[in-house]
Amino acid sequence: MATELDLEQHLAGLNDAIRRGADAARAAGLDAAVPSCPRWDVRELVAHVGMVHRWAGAHLLGQADAVGSGAELKEEGRHAADPVRWWQDGAGAFDEAVRTVDDDVVALVFLRDAPPPRRFWARRQCHEATIHAVDALAAQLGRLPSATESGIAETIALDGIDELLTGFLTRGKKLATERPKVLGVRTDDDRQPSWTVALGPSSAVTERHAPGAGPEVDEVIVGSAVGLYLALWNRGTEISGDEATLEWWRRVAQIRWS
């Protein structure tokens, strides 16, 4: 799970997403439905993501037992005087935690081939905030936003695609298929990297390839960097590929808090 972004870029991405997400959440209102998360309203959305930021920061600081469970934190967020501010404060506390700990801090990580904990959590919370900012914008708009409307930078999108394909979706047999095949994932810009995901009865195996490189594939999913990022996280539809494959992806490639 190598990343080309440094710690400051991930923290900048986190804070940019928090700004956009908080603005959208306030514009939508706490009772607004979240189209990209059908069981949630904005209050539940901000309680969830504010909880995750606090939970991650506590693990980095070795204080996980002190902050309470995820359920307790979410309940605190739901009933905060200003739940959006509570989300922002959680992100600020996480940013401070990352800046406080040393590079060699020992803490929980949960993705395969993860970078050291400090870098892992900065990257993870950058994308946690970025995707949930899209959810807040969806609540404001009443629909999924386009890649352009999302405000996400290409560099963040490419990094997020990489984290999803190499980290999340190689765990277990989430993407298991009866027949082996190689799925290509590439942007519509040949100056950017691409990925291949080898599928079969066992765990998926993802490889990242330099621009213009990579093996032959059986099927390919194509879009802009931000369009791919949103679509692969099931927050957008601006990609092209075999329709049966895209429908399969939407059905099986779901990441849930646990």
Side-chain angles (χ1 to χ4, degrees):
M1 286 182 60
T3 174
E4 295 182 354
L5 301 188
D6 61 26
L7 182 73
E8 289 299 330
Q9 287 173 301
H10 279 133
L11 292 178
L14 163 69
N15 290 309
D16 182 60
I18 294 299
R19 176 188 56 77
R20 289 185 283 102
D23 287 348
R26 291 194 187 284
L30 293 173
D31 295 328
V34 182
S36 45
C37 302
R39 297 182 181 180
W40 285 358
D41 58 15
V42 170
R43 183 185 299 274
E44 189 70 17
L45 169 66
V46 298
H48 166 82
V49 69
M51 173 273 291
V52 175
H53 294 324
R54 287 169 170 80
W55 183 88
H59 274 279
L60 272 179
L61 294 171
Q63 299 173 356
D65 292 339
V67 298
S69 68
E72 291 169 333
L73 284 170
K74 283 187 73 172
E75 191 67 9
E76 178 184 328
R78 291 187 191 103
H79 295 289
D82 184 344
V84 178
R85 181 74 254 175
W86 190 84
W87 173 20
Q88 293 172 294
D89 289 345
F94 173 78
D95 185 292
E96 183 178 355
V98 171
R99 297 182 187 280
T100 298
V101 300
D102 295 329
D103 284 337
D104 60 356
V105 64
V106 177
L108 168 76
V109 297
F110 60 84
L111 297 182
R112 181 177 295 179
D113 298 325
R118 186 172 186 240
R119 296 297 311 280
F120 169 85
W121 282 111
R123 185 187 203 187
R124 179 80 292 279
Q125 293 311 293
C126 171
H127 295 296
E128 182 80 13
T130 300
I131 289 298
H132 286 313
V134 172
D135 294 330
L137 181 57
Q140 179 186 356
L141 297 174
R143 57 171 173 80
L144 294 177
S146 68
T148 300
E149 290 171 325
S150 74
I152 298 171
E154 280 193 348
T155 52
I156 295 294
L158 290 168
D159 186 72
I161 295 168
D162 194 73
E163 187 204 38
L164 178 66
L165 294 181
T166 65
F168 277 101
L169 296 179
T170 56
R171 300 187 303 168
K173 296 185 178 181
K174 179 181 290 290
L175 299 185
T177 58
E178 290 185 8
R179 296 182 180 179
K181 65 178 179 180
V182 178
L183 176 64
V185 178
R186 63 176 176 82
T187 75
D188 52 15
D189 185 340
D190 59 13
R191 298 167 298 177
Q192 295 174 340
S194 63
W195 297 262
T196 52
V197 185
L199 304 171
S202 300
S203 299
V205 177
T206 299
E207 292 186 38
R208 176 176 169 153
H209 306 283
E216 293 293 321
V217 299
D218 299 303
E219 297 176 19
V220 64
I221 297 175
V222 181
S224 70
V226 178
L228 275 173
Y229 180 55
L230 295 179
L232 294 177
W233 273 102
N234 293 301
R235 263 71 174 188
T237 59
E238 295 174 276
I239 54 174
S240 60
D242 176 74
E243 187 53 43
T245 297
L246 298 182
E247 175 55 35
W248 168 80
W249 183 277
R250 288 189 286 266
R251 189 174 68 253
V252 303
Q254 300 285 338
I255 307 299
R256 295 181 173 86
W257 171 264
S258 61

